[in-house]
Amino acid sequence: MPSPEQIRSADALIARTIKQAGKIISLRTPEGRRVAEALVVMLEEADRSLARRLYRIARRQGGPKATFTVASATAYRAQIQLVTQYVQKRLLGMTEKQAAWAVRSSYKETAQLIAELETRFMGIGVPLRLGEASVMNPIINGSKSSLLAQHATSVDRYGAGMIGEFEKRIRVGLIEGKTHYQMTKDLVGHGGPKGTVSMAAKEVSPGVVERLREEQIGEGLFVRYKYWAHRIVRTETAHAYQQTKLDTYQEVATHQMPDMQKKILAVLDNRTAPDSIAVHGQIRPINGYFIDGAGRQYQRPPARPNDRETIIPWRPHWPETPRSRELSADERQKAIQASIPGKAANRQKTAAQKVTERKQLVAQAIEQQKAALAARRQQALDRWESEQTRLIERRAATGRGGKVSQKVIDELKDINREQAKLDKAQRRLGAPRKRKTERS
């Protein structure tokens, strides 16, 4: 049974999700109604996608299993269905309070479900990313729904229809709580543009694109070059996250803290580009523009593909920290010089070295998961031994025994299955890769 604290935490999570949905929709204008209808469509798309995922998992495992993946998908789907009901009630003309009261039974059931799942898997209770998904909805934001739609070279490469499909897949992935890897896999499954594909281009005048390099790709751009799909996912999700943060800062500055500003921070390591080093630490008004080392002006990142900058809230009286302060001219120059060897070394790495590094990272991740699994097994065994001791004492006192809780037995079975999967992955990691033989 979930503890009172877990139930309160789940209640707060659901309340936050409902409040976020209420901020997105406004039924006072026809445009606001279209936004609410678009939100319902997004939620229904995500619900269908999660239903398919759960069905595939059930078929593959021979029935629903209490794994983290299933539990996470179940929690997300419960929230999606609740918010869908809430927005539909609002579309019928109910006020926020009336709609919240109308879905109160589903509200309690969803909170109870999430609290119960939290007792087995930490981190299940995650609010829906409705704000981020709404950023990528063309009905809500028009041509600013994605960076792809705003750049003529991208429109020339993919076409408006394909960009719309990418936006749909990414916003549904955001609502579902998918990782970058999962969303990249979705785009690779789509394939991307085929035939004569623009690989490099420039915009010579507004709306006029000159292709600098083309390539014949029959199987699809993302199938041949997976990193193109990964770049789109990383850049577009950053676009959605940063725009949502900026909207929040603007709201706070308008209603609560008039002196609220924004600060931009870059990730400073041997992969940081000089343009990001130059913009690191700049402070601007909420609607002001940052200027990076390449001369680009923008209100919030990303300013280019794979941009790792982020914005944070800032107030004039807050103290600077070594991590957040703006770099001096000498420090910027040193940071640029320090990043050059790292970039050159990365370019000089052979394919075999990169594969070896990736294998090492995967091996480390597997070891970490196995350590966490060992801790879970020990906890489950402790509970099993505790119940055995209790049953023995009960049999000695009353002459009647009993059985160990099925919940503990099921958890041990799940742990054994997950251990077998990790062992298999570890064996595959060390085994030489088999080459596919050509069919005659």
Side-chain angles (χ1 to χ4, degrees):
M1 289 292 293
S3 65
E5 183 180 352
Q6 288 172 324
I7 293 176
R8 284 194 298 271
S9 176
D11 280 336
L13 168 71
I14 301 301
R16 190 159 64 249
T17 302
I18 293 292
K19 185 178 180 181
Q20 189 179 14
K23 285 183 178 181
I24 294 172
I25 60 177
S26 174
L27 303 180
R28 296 177 182 177
T29 63
E31 181 182 355
R33 189 172 187 85
R34 286 196 297 272
V35 169
E37 292 170 347
L39 180 58
V40 170
V41 171
M42 278 198 309
L43 291 166
E44 290 175 343
E45 289 171 347
D47 182 56
R48 287 192 295 270
S49 178
L50 278 171
R52 289 192 294 269
R53 283 175 62 192
L54 289 169
Y55 176 72
R56 287 195 298 269
I57 292 171
R59 286 191 62 185
R60 185 169 62 248
Q61 297 181 349
K65 303 294 180 182
T67 62
F68 182 89
T69 301
V70 173
S72 177
T74 302
Y76 273 114
R77 194 178 182 203
Q79 288 190 75
I80 288 168
Q81 292 174 340
L82 174 63
V83 176
T84 303
Q85 292 178 32
Y86 171 79
V87 179
Q88 287 173 337
K89 299 295 183 185
R90 291 294 313 278
L91 284 169
L92 291 175
M94 293 186 180
T95 64
E96 292 182 13
K97 290 184 178 179
Q98 290 172 336
W101 178 256
V103 299
R104 65 190 182 282
S105 60
S106 298
Y107 185 109
K108 292 179 180 178
E109 291 173 2
T110 304
Q112 182 69 23
L113 172 65
I114 293 175
E116 289 175 357
L117 293 173
E118 273 287 345
T119 62
R120 298 204 60 188
F121 302 101
M122 290 183 62
I124 290 294
V126 179
L128 298 181
R129 292 180 284 195
L130 298 176
E132 290 84 350
S134 297
V135 170
M136 301 205 67
N137 194 321
I139 297 177
I140 297 175
N141 285 318
S143 62
K144 294 183 178 180
S145 56
S146 68
L147 294 176
L148 290 175
Q150 297 178 43
H151 291 84
T153 53
S154 296
V155 175
D156 174 67
R157 177 179 298 117
Y158 302 108
M162 193 175 291
I163 288 175
E165 178 64 22
F166 296 164
E167 291 174 350
K168 174 184 173 181
R169 291 181 181 233
I170 294 174
R171 67 172 175 262
V172 170
L174 287 168
I175 295 178
E176 288 184 58
K178 285 186 175 180
T179 62
H180 280 182
Y181 171 79
Q182 291 170 321
M183 286 189 272
T184 301
K185 189 176 179 181
D186 287 345
L187 292 191
V188 173
H190 176 278
K194 301 176 182 179
T196 304
V197 180
S198 172
M199 304 300 291
K202 65 178 181 179
E203 188 175 9
V204 294
S205 62
V208 179
V209 174
E210 178 186 349
R211 293 189 173 187
L212 304 177
R213 184 166 61 88
E214 295 179 336
E215 189 171 331
Q216 288 294 329
I217 303 177
E219 67 274 28
L221 176 64
F222 301 154
V223 177
R224 182 175 295 184
Y225 303 113
K226 183 179 176 180
Y227 67 86
W228 279 77
H230 190 211
R231 184 175 72 168
I232 288 176
V233 169
R234 288 184 62 180
T235 306
E236 294 297 347
T237 53
H239 160 69
Y241 291 142
Q242 300 300 323
Q243 183 59 51
T244 304
K245 291 171 71 173
L246 182 60
D247 292 342
T248 302
Y249 300 165
Q250 288 172 336
E251 183 180 354
V252 171
T254 302
H255 301 289
Q256 299 177 20
M257 302 176 184
D259 62 343
M260 176 69 75
Q261 297 174 313
K262 61 186 178 183
K263 177 190 277 280
I264 190 167
L265 301 180
V267 179
L268 300 177
D269 56 22
N270 64 355
R271 296 192 296 125
T272 309
D275 57 350
S276 295
I277 293 173
V279 77
H280 174 77
Q282 289 183 12
I283 301 173
R284 295 290 184 270
I286 291 298
N287 294 318
Y289 288 81
F290 300 107
I291 303 176
D292 68 9
R296 288 184 289 257
Q297 299 186 28
Y298 48 98
Q299 287 191 318
R300 45 89 186 154
R304 54 171 171 77
N306 286 328
D307 195 347
R308 296 185 295 159
E309 298 158 8
T310 187
I311 55 172
I312 62 172
W314 195 258
R315 301 182 72 184
H317 61 276
W318 286 356
E320 291 280 9
T321 67
R323 174 68 183 85
S324 68
R325 67 179 180 83
E326 190 171 2
L327 302 178
S328 66
D330 289 341
E331 288 172 328
R332 281 197 296 270
Q333 191 60 35
K334 288 180 181 178
I336 292 171
Q337 292 299 323
S339 70
I340 291 174
K343 293 179 181 296
N346 191 52
R347 284 194 298 269
Q348 291 171 3
K349 287 179 183 176
T350 65
Q353 288 173 324
K354 292 181 180 180
V355 169
T356 301
E357 287 183 0
R358 283 197 295 269
K359 283 187 175 182
Q360 290 173 348
L361 291 174
V362 173
Q364 291 174 5
I366 290 175
E367 288 298 332
Q368 291 173 358
Q369 292 178 46
K370 290 180 76 171
L373 208 57
R376 278 182 57 197
R377 178 184 284 106
Q378 187 59 50
Q379 292 174 358
L381 288 173
D382 290 343
R383 287 196 296 271
W384 186 83
E385 291 177 0
S386 176
E387 290 200 21
Q388 285 279 39
T389 303
R390 179 176 56 80
L391 292 173
I392 292 171
E393 292 174 351
R394 180 182 175 186
R395 187 179 293 111
T398 64
R400 292 180 297 176
K403 294 182 179 179
V404 177
S405 169
Q406 187 64 35
K407 183 178 179 181
V408 177
I409 296 173
D410 289 343
E411 184 172 2
L412 286 169
K413 288 181 178 178
D414 289 341
I415 291 172
N416 288 335
R417 277 192 293 268
E418 292 180 32
Q419 179 71 42
K421 289 180 181 179
L422 291 174
D423 290 340
K424 183 178 179 180
Q426 208 165 32
R427 288 195 298 272
R428 290 179 61 186
L429 198 63
R433 185 176 179 181
K434 294 181 180 180
R435 294 186 177 182
K436 295 182 179 179
T437 57
E438 294 183 0
R439 295 183 179 179
S440 57

